[in-house]
Amino acid sequence: MRRWKRENVVTGTEEPRVQLPQLRLDELLEELQARLDAARGTRDRVHSLLEAVLSVGRELDLEQALHSIVDAAAALVDAEYAALGVIGPDGKTLSGFHTVGFTEEQIAGIGPYPQGHGILGELIRHPEPLRLAKLSRHPASYGFPPGHPPMNSFLGVPIRVRDQVFGNLYLTEKRGGAQFDEEDESVLATLAVAAGVAIDNARLYEESRLRERWLRANAEITHSLMSGSERAEALDLIAERAREISDAALAAVAMPLEGSGSLSVEIAVGVDAEAHRGLVLPLRRSLMGLAFCAAAPVTSDDVAHDERVSPEPPRFGGLGPAVAVPIGTGEGGVRGVVLLAREDGRPVFSAKETQMLVGFAAQAAIAMELAERRHDAEQIALLKDRDRIARDLHDVAIQRLFATGMTLQSAGRFIEHPEAAERVLRAVDDLDETIKIIRSAIFGLRAREGAVGSGLRARVVLVAGEAAPVLGFSPAVRMEGLVDTEVPRDIADHVVAVLSEALTNIARHAHADRADVLLTTDGSEVRLKVADNGVGIPPDGRRSGLRNMAERAEQLGGRLEVSRSDGGGATLTWWVPLPAK
């Protein structure tokens, strides 16, 4: 084949070829390869970001979702250490901290998790992305605690949930000694948006499950009350379910004492429940009393040191956050108060938790009212039936017996046999006695319960309240057992008299600044214990008051014992047996 060379038409000479420098070609190839690598890296990073967003969005458990977010953030920007700080209710400090990259030994050596000071607090105060080449050069930095690993590069991004800052992502020490760049910041900001959605979903799911648990508890309480359970059983169920659902260490339910202006703790479950059970609380020096008066929730960040709570008797050791919620509303009347307390160091009761607890208590109050209305209807039906029986006995039975007696009495005059006449007269007398018995039964059927506030509980609280001005302080009162129903009226009168005498003696002779009253019954005996921290009973002192109390006990088959209290002062124990039923 012939080769043709391009020749210049004019000159007839051969045209030279254009030669590119070899070095310039290599540079172009390297640049092209770099662009291809960058595009591939961007593609891989976008893919990783999408995977991270999907992974975070799958989680419905809030704690697990937070850990997934931290893991994904560390992987996306190739950081050695990562953390997610949850901002507390005050909006200034961190209430939760989730980390990646730290060993258990490092966490133990560093100590408590940070509260949101220094660089971490800077992001709380100014919720905008923050990127630093060296942490120590920032004005807000003041070093690390002992045992903390060294950190230089830093990248922080806020997480927003519905226009509210939930927390912050903190990334440090990009691997390989590199610095965090704008692309890292952009990727992390994108993840933060997805994290906000995931956190919101997890919160909504958690709230829905919590509401479901409260609804189930309400249904259980309603069923118990409407099935005819005693009020004490229903209150115990309220306390148990409230403590379980709110993850509290202590739950107590107090009910008002009619006519006394006080609350009586009828149910207590959990930590130091015995110290609360039976305690009589003033309305102004207790969280439960304040909630009862205001018909609204009352919270405390530290109930053990709250100035609104009377320190005596000590009962909140080791406890911290607490909330007291009224059972019922101001419109329908507050029926009682439920108190919940968590251990010291645990989170405070949030507004959402308190709102759910208020709804639970309101539903419990409705169930209690329905049960009372049903009980009242049954009582009315029973009383109507008693009235009918009493009317029939009075209008029919007594009249016939009376007529029969008159007939026998008239017929007796015609009986000549002395023994027969005597028997007829005895029969007439028996009929008279029978009429008396029936009339007594009629009176009992038509009798109503005693006046409101006449129970032993209310009378004991009233006596203690009347003694407070003379004592100079309010005595602590606790009652255990069914003192209103188990203790007969005559014995109750003796209990009240003995208590009044004991408190009067303390005011006159003890020079005490504290007195404890404990009234208990187990159905077989009633026991009154009054203790003070005064000077005690002198050997040569007057003992007329003690002698009167001892005589009252002996008349009823009981006994009076006087001993020295552990902290000084005297302890008086008065007990008598109760009549068998």
Side-chain angles (χ1 to χ4, degrees), residues 5 7 36 64 86 102 115 128 135 169 230 249 352 387 402 464 517 524 564 571:
K5 293 184 180 179
E7 296 181 354
L36 289 173
Q64 190 59 43
V86 180
F102 293 90
Q115 297 297 310
E128 299 293 337
L135 274 168
L169 277 171
E230 294 293 333
K352 184 68 67 175
D387 284 341
F402 186 75
V517 177
S524 61
R564 187 169 181 81
T571 298

Side-chain angles (χ1 to χ4, degrees), residues 1 56 118 193 227 248 285 301 321 391 395 420 428 444 453 472 498 517 564 570:
M1 180 181 293
V56 167
V193 173
S227 298
R285 290 285 290 167
D301 293 344
R391 187 170 56 251
D395 296 344
V428 172
V498 170
V517 177
R564 187 169 181 81

Side-chain angles (χ1 to χ4, degrees), residues 431-564:
L431 287 174
D432 288 339
E433 289 297 324
T434 302
I435 291 172
K436 291 179 181 179
I437 293 172
I438 293 175
R439 282 177 173 167
S440 177
I442 293 172
F443 178 79
L445 286 171
R446 289 178 171 173
R448 297 296 186 265
E449 293 183 0
V452 175
S454 62
L456 182 55
R457 281 180 180 271
R459 296 174 67 189
V460 167
V461 173
L462 185 61
V463 169
E466 291 175 347
V470 182
L471 290 167
F473 59 88
S474 296
V477 180
R478 276 179 54 191
M479 287 176 274
E480 299 177 3
L482 304 175
V483 296
D484 281 340
T485 57
E486 298 284 359
V487 183
R489 178 77 185 196
D490 56 338
I491 296 180
D493 293 339
H494 287 285
V495 171
V496 172
V498 170
L499 175 60
S500 178
E501 182 73 23
L503 293 177
T504 301
N505 287 345
I506 293 174
R508 290 177 178 175
H509 311 296
H511 304 291
D513 58 10
R514 175 180 173 182
D516 297 305
V517 177
L518 175 62
L519 178 64
T520 62
T521 181
D522 57 1
S524 61
E525 68 176 29
V526 60
R527 184 177 294 266
L528 175 66
K529 185 177 180 180
V530 182
D532 65 79
N533 64 346
V535 298
I537 301 175
D540 55 348
R542 296 180 59 188
R543 295 178 176 268
S544 57
L546 293 177
R547 188 163 50 252
N548 292 336
M549 289 185 255
E551 288 176 356
R552 288 180 180 273
E554 291 169 1
Q555 289 173 5
L556 300 172
R559 191 171 58 185
L560 171 70
E561 297 177 353
V562 180
S563 60
R564 187 169 181 81

